[in-house]
Amino acid sequence: MRQSLSGLGAYPLVRPRRLRVDEATRTLVRENSLSVTDLVYPVFIIEGTGKREAIKTMPGIERLSLDQVLKDAERWVDLGLSALNLYPCIDLALKRSDGRESYNPDGLQQRAIRALKENFPQLKLLSDVALDPFTTHGHDGVIDEKGRVLNDESLEILAKQALSHAEAGVDMVAPSDMMDGRTRTLRLALEESGFTDVGIVAYSAKYASKYYGPFRDAIGSSSSLGKKDKRTYQMDPANIEEALREAALDVAEGADIIMVKPGMPYLDVVRRIKDELNVPVFAWQVSGEYAMHMAAIQAGYLPEDTILEALLAFKRAGASAIHTYFAVKVAEMLKHQ
Ligand code: PBG
């Protein structure tokens, strides 16, 4: 039973400030904490060697060639980061309307998984499963002549993509495409090929959000997508009951972890899924959220440690882990606290 609010009117018997008198007391009663092991760092990968490209709309974040990823990963591991999610930026010449480069066993994403696993076996690797980096039209699935995104045809290609990641050694595949039935399709494909321990992080509640803009610049899908939007598969920002249905479906189809995306504007969704389904929930502080915080910090409108407060809000809402572009910065900040 929840304690009644009998404290109201009980002053001076009850003084909540007694538990705030000093840092030691505050620490003893603290309900949530942020740790470096709560963070998943998204990494943008490009072809080539010795390459580091700045991303205009995401100050401080770069696209890295694989050798640079391997070099930087030493520092990420030293800082205590334990998980990465990999995003390939594919040369325009390799994009097709069916996104077939997505399951090339020697594609950029597959090579990155192999090289990272070989050099950093302890690092958990998640891989994005969706076709948008690989399609000429920028959609997450394949389309028909009228431009409609085809569900079942897309599933076949997504399953091939997920299998190619599993063969390369990925720990968990993370389908972000929002096609119906993709969790079941991927789970069955993985089971049939003996990848029983490869997990699925299902983006169950992925909203059709304006906050993805900088990411689409980063992977080069915004020019392919043009003025089109993803509202026939990503969710309407107005809905939460639908997010619960999507998450319940994904759990029934074999998802190990449920993802909510974007993050801070959707923490109510994280909490509801956590409370009602009792499964691990990950959340994504997406590119637009990163850009907003960076812009305010660079302008001097907010102090840098506002980032810690923002990420703590995810923990309070019930997220087990948080995808954030601030992961490296936060790992450094937490080390020096
Ligand atoms: C699409 C995908 C998107 C992000 C990750 N995977 C955006 C989109 O739907 O275009 C967004 C991540 C971010 O904004 O940081 N497969």
Side-chain angles (χ1 to χ4, degrees):
M1 263 291 277
R2 190 164 268 277
Q3 205 180 315
S4 75
L5 292 177
S6 56
L8 292 176
Y11 166 87
L13 305 178
V14 179
R15 288 180 186 266
R17 287 185 58 193
R18 278 191 207 113
L19 295 181
R20 298 181 205 134
V21 284
D22 54 29
E23 183 56 15
T25 311
R26 289 191 293 270
T27 309
L28 283 172
V29 300
R30 189 158 291 145
E31 297 172 36
N32 292 285
S33 63
L34 181 69
S35 142
V36 63
T37 52
D38 296 325
L39 308 176
V40 181
Y41 188 43
V43 179
F44 297 117
I45 309 169
I46 46 173
E47 287 291 358
T49 40
K51 281 207 186 144
R52 311 183 70 98
E53 292 177 1
I55 301 160
K56 192 166 158 264
T57 47
M58 301 179 71
I61 300 296
E62 296 168 310
R63 302 181 194 92
L64 303 173
S65 56
L66 194 42
D67 61 311
Q68 299 298 301
V69 172
L70 295 173
K71 194 168 127 239
D72 284 18
E74 306 255 358
R75 194 163 63 90
W76 302 338
V77 170
D78 282 348
L79 281 167
L81 288 171
S82 55
L84 307 180
N85 198 340
L86 307 174
Y87 293 88
C89 313
I90 296 300
D91 288 342
L92 208 52
L94 290 173
K95 298 193 184 192
R96 296 284 184 279
S97 85
D98 66 1
R100 71 186 71 158
E101 179 64 14
S102 61
Y103 54 88
N104 177 356
D106 292 314
L108 184 55
Q109 209 172 0
Q110 291 80 358
R111 272 182 281 133
I113 294 168
R114 250 182 262 127
L116 278 162
K117 268 290 145 192
E118 208 169 286
N119 289 279
F120 305 94
Q122 74 279 33
L123 202 54
K124 288 285 129 188
L125 293 186
L126 280 72
S127 63
D128 193 59
V129 173
L131 302 185
D132 53 320
F134 309 95
T135 52
T136 39
H137 43 77
H139 276 302
D140 291 17
V142 291
I143 58 174
D144 68 9
E145 62 290 340
K146 289 200 171 124
R148 285 178 299 214
V149 177
L150 302 170
N151 196 84
D152 300 9
E153 291 78 352
S154 300
L155 291 182
E156 283 176 37
I157 306 175
L158 293 164
K160 288 189 198 172
Q161 186 185 16
L163 273 183
S164 73
H165 295 173
E167 275 154 14
V170 87
D171 295 290
M172 297 184 201
V173 291
S176 69
D177 55 285
M178 287 299 278
M179 296 302 122
D180 293 335
R182 78 287 170 63
T183 300
R184 177 187 158 86
T185 305
L186 264 47
R187 186 71 266 157
L188 290 176
L190 291 168
E191 294 296 313
E192 274 163 25
S193 300
F195 295 112
T196 49
D197 286 341
V198 172
I200 299 183
V201 181
Y203 287 66
S204 307
K206 178 166 181 184
Y207 288 89
S209 172
K210 301 287 177 200
Y211 287 98
Y212 305 145
F215 171 94
R216 292 179 187 171
D217 293 338
I219 65 154
S221 67
S222 53
S223 50
S224 319
L225 196 63
K227 286 206 171 359
K228 304 190 289 291
D229 63 54
K230 299 189 176 183
R231 286 185 291 175
T232 68
Y233 46 108
Q234 297 182 348
M235 278 184 44
D236 183 338
N239 296 353
I240 185 166
E241 303 305 329
E242 186 186 4
L244 287 169
R245 289 199 296 278
E246 281 279 7
L249 283 172
D250 279 325
V251 171
E253 291 181 24
D256 302 283
I257 295 167
I258 297 301
M259 179 91 89
V260 174
K261 181 176 184 177
M264 211 148 94
Y266 295 86
L267 292 181
D268 55 329
V269 182
V270 172
R271 171 51 65 197
R272 277 288 294 281
I273 294 179
K274 184 82 212 157
D275 284 349
E276 299 203 17
L277 299 179
N278 213 6
V279 290
V281 180
F282 283 6
W284 240 105
Q285 186 187 49
V286 299
S287 55
E289 298 175 68
Y290 174 83
M292 277 166 43
H293 279 96
M294 278 309 273
I297 290 165
Q298 289 185 331
Y301 297 161
L302 288 174
E304 194 170 62
D305 54 7
T306 311
I307 299 166
L308 299 178
E309 182 181 329
L311 293 175
L312 199 51
F314 286 76
K315 294 295 298 290
R316 208 178 54 241
S320 331
I322 310 155
H323 279 62
T324 174
Y325 300 100
F326 284 120
V328 175
K329 190 182 272 296
V330 166
E332 283 163 355
M333 290 164 85
L334 292 175
K335 207 164 195 164
H336 297 117
Q337 255 187 355

